[in-house]
Amino acid sequence: MDPVRNPYAPGAGTPPPELAGRDVLLETVRIALERVRLGLPTKSILMVGLRGVGKTVLLDRMRDDAEAVGLQTIRIEAPEGRSLPAILAPQLRQSLLRLSRVAAATAVAHRALRALAGFAKSLKVKYEDIEVGFDFDPEPGLADNGDLEHDLMALLEVVGAAAKAADTALVLFVDELQYVEESQLAALITALHRTAQRRLPVVLVGAGLPQLRGQMGHAKSYAERMFEFPEVGPLTNDEARSAIAKPAADNDVKITDQALDKILEQTRGYPYFLQEWGKHAWDAAQASPISEADVDAASRSAVAALDESFFRVRFDRLTPLQKRYLRAMAELGTGPHRSGDIADQLRRTVTSLGPARAQLIAKGMIWSPNHGDTAFTVPLFDEFMRRIMPRNDWQDG
Ligand SMILES: Nc1ncnc2c1ncn2[C@@H]1O[C@H](COP(=O)(O)OP(=O)(O)OP(=O)(O)O)[C@@H](O)[C@H]1O
Ligand SMILES: [Mg+2]
């Protein structure tokens, strides 16, 4: 069918034509944000889930919803290798400048901008990547200790006061939180703990890989009680069906039940894969309805597309030993797997593979659901590894 009208949207953070199965989560967050605005006790929310389940898309939607009801928002992504204060500071400045235009909040917002100036100046020594414009001179003693934990707490406190004066709340939307280094994560938790204690309207809505939950608890033992960790996972059968069928129907295209069953079977309800299969099935079909044979053709081209992009970009960032580690996992199946079993595959000891495993966790390729267990963070990655490293020579380094 006409590829120009193809509604499906495989991609990173690309909004799907139908955001299926997430209404409950959206409503949970909506309620939390309204409660924060009213100064009622509320937990920050950290969505955790594997690659491609739709975390980024959800954050963006939640942000749009928050802006639509007059909340102040900041949207950042924690990149590998940059500091949290560096990515936070310029965004906070933008927010404070906006808040300062509300008459009732001008004075407090200006004070918060002074705090931000002190914060950036004093932390620049340690976090050289901080770059932010200064609108005011620092106020001596305000958020300028040079210690991130203390200064971020002081800063978010005045920022919260500014948001409160403006009768709104400040919502920090942070993606890829698992990449934030532990001491910076600890500082963020402490700062949010303080604003929560003071009932100041500042709240975090974050997203990350499943290891985030453990990282938060490790950074601050009370973190697990301070946050909600809703899991974002594959869609149920009904949700997955509507993710595919609804966009088609909106274009007056039908899809047979057998074709839908096939797509569900191939994608296991993972949102990214659903978009990829939807797209390829649409392109493969000559006319409505999209049939099972169209999906069979689509499966071949969808897998090829995934191998070239979604899987490939992750694979290319790995060292030879890291690749062999993942290949050994793949040999054992979907997982999770015991470290000892993986080491046996490679005829190595668990200890000697410790660094490779740790690097793979840091890169966000694998995580540990339980002590000694290892699982992929990318759905269906085991099948990909068996395709891309088919021969048996990976066992001997
Ligand atoms: N609820 C949904 N229904 C249908 N499609 C969805 C849904 N959520 C996300 N998608 C699609 O899935 C793909 C991946 O979404 P997104 O980039 O938000 O995932 P992610 O969890 O942030 O992945 P990563 O961990 O790799 O950053 C996109 O193509 C998006 O359109
Ligand atoms: Mg994402």
Side-chain angles (χ1 to χ4, degrees):
M1 281 175 306
D2 185 0
V4 173
R5 287 174 54 225
N6 194 323
Y8 301 100
T14 321
E18 166 73 5
L19 186 66
R22 305 302 191 209
D23 290 351
V24 173
L25 192 47
L26 288 168
E27 180 62 5
T28 304
V29 168
R30 187 191 71 79
I31 292 169
L33 300 187
E34 287 302 341
R35 287 181 58 88
V36 170
R37 170 150 57 181
L38 294 174
L40 295 167
T42 314
K43 290 181 175 179
S44 282
I45 293 173
L46 299 182
M47 299 182 281
V48 290
L50 300 178
R51 289 283 174 210
V53 289
K55 302 178 296 295
T56 300
V57 155
L58 275 169
L59 276 186
D60 286 335
R61 166 64 80 84
M62 289 164 181
R63 184 197 188 183
D64 289 346
D65 292 352
E67 292 264 329
V69 295
L71 297 168
Q72 276 287 325
T73 70
I74 279 178
R75 171 78 168 86
I76 56 179
E77 176 177 330
E80 277 175 285
R82 277 196 70 201
S83 74
L84 182 69
I87 47 173
L88 201 54
Q91 292 285 322
L92 275 177
R93 175 177 174 238
Q94 295 299 325
S95 260
L96 290 170
L97 289 172
R98 280 196 299 270
L99 285 172
S100 71
R101 285 183 221 121
V102 179
T106 306
V108 201
H110 285 176
R111 180 147 195 265
L113 283 163
R114 287 185 198 287
L116 182 64
F119 175 87
K121 272 200 175 131
S122 62
L123 288 170
K124 179 98 185 152
V125 187
K126 187 148 176 219
Y127 305 98
E128 291 171 10
D129 55 344
I130 300 185
E131 296 289 347
V132 63
F134 293 125
D135 307 274
F136 294 93
D137 287 331
E139 177 184 315
L142 183 61
D144 66 353
N145 258 12
D147 165 56
L148 180 62
E149 191 148 336
H150 173 276
D151 291 349
L152 188 60
M153 186 165 78
L155 177 61
L156 282 197
E157 226 179 317
V158 278
V159 170
K164 188 174 178 179
D167 219 4
T168 183
L170 177 69
V171 193
L172 313 173
F173 290 98
V174 188
D175 206 359
E176 304 281 359
L177 256 178
Q178 79 282 345
Y179 286 137
V180 177
E181 198 237 304
E182 186 171 313
S183 65
Q184 298 169 28
L185 217 45
L188 183 62
I189 296 166
T190 310
L192 288 165
H193 190 209
R194 170 63 67 93
T195 54
Q197 278 174 336
R198 299 262 157 121
R199 301 278 171 90
L200 289 168
V202 179
V203 65
L204 171 69
V205 179
L209 291 173
Q211 55 259 50
L212 178 61
R213 192 182 177 133
Q215 286 173 326
M216 296 292 282
H218 214 256
K220 286 281 168 199
S221 54
Y222 57 80
E224 302 220 34
R225 277 167 283 136
M226 257 184 68
F227 298 94
E228 304 245 30
F229 292 91
E231 278 176 32
V232 182
L235 301 179
T236 64
N237 281 355
D238 285 348
E239 293 160 357
R241 280 171 181 274
S242 83
I244 295 292
K246 184 138 187 314
D250 290 344
N251 285 279
D252 297 319
V253 168
K254 287 199 171 57
I255 175 159
T256 68
D257 280 342
Q258 293 86 338
L260 273 176
D261 286 342
K262 201 54 171 274
I263 292 181
L264 266 49
E265 180 192 316
Q266 296 284 319
T267 60
R268 308 206 197 140
Y270 280 103
Y272 186 89
F273 301 144
L274 284 167
Q275 297 303 322
E276 201 74 81
W277 258 261
K279 172 175 185 282
H280 285 269
W282 174 287
D283 285 350
Q286 294 297 320
S288 176
I290 298 172
S291 70
E292 194 178 354
D294 297 328
V295 175
D296 284 336
S299 292
R300 283 186 293 277
S301 55
V303 167
L306 286 171
D307 284 0
E308 276 308 301
S309 60
F310 188 73
F311 294 128
R312 186 76 204 210
V313 291
R314 304 198 151 87
F315 183 80
D316 285 345
R317 296 164 58 232
L318 305 172
T319 67
L321 179 59
Q322 291 166 359
K323 287 177 183 167
R324 291 177 51 226
Y325 194 91
L326 296 184
R327 181 62 183 82
M329 284 174 64
E331 189 68 12
L332 297 165
T334 311
H337 304 298
R338 306 292 302 166
S339 295
D341 296 340
I342 301 166
D344 286 349
Q345 287 290 325
L346 293 167
R347 304 182 190 116
R348 300 257 304 245
T349 61
V350 170
T351 322
S352 77
L353 290 168
R357 181 174 182 270
Q359 291 150 10
L360 285 165
I361 292 176
K363 282 187 178 170
M365 292 302 303
I366 56 175
W367 70 294
S368 180
N370 292 298
H371 185 70
D373 274 345
T374 306
F376 291 106
T377 60
V378 183
L380 311 188
F381 208 73
D382 58 318
E383 292 174 19
F384 167 74
M385 286 306 297
R386 291 195 296 269
R387 281 196 297 275
I388 195 149
M389 292 171 78
R391 295 189 16 242
N392 253 348
D393 53 1
W394 53 268
Q395 282 184 309
D396 319 280

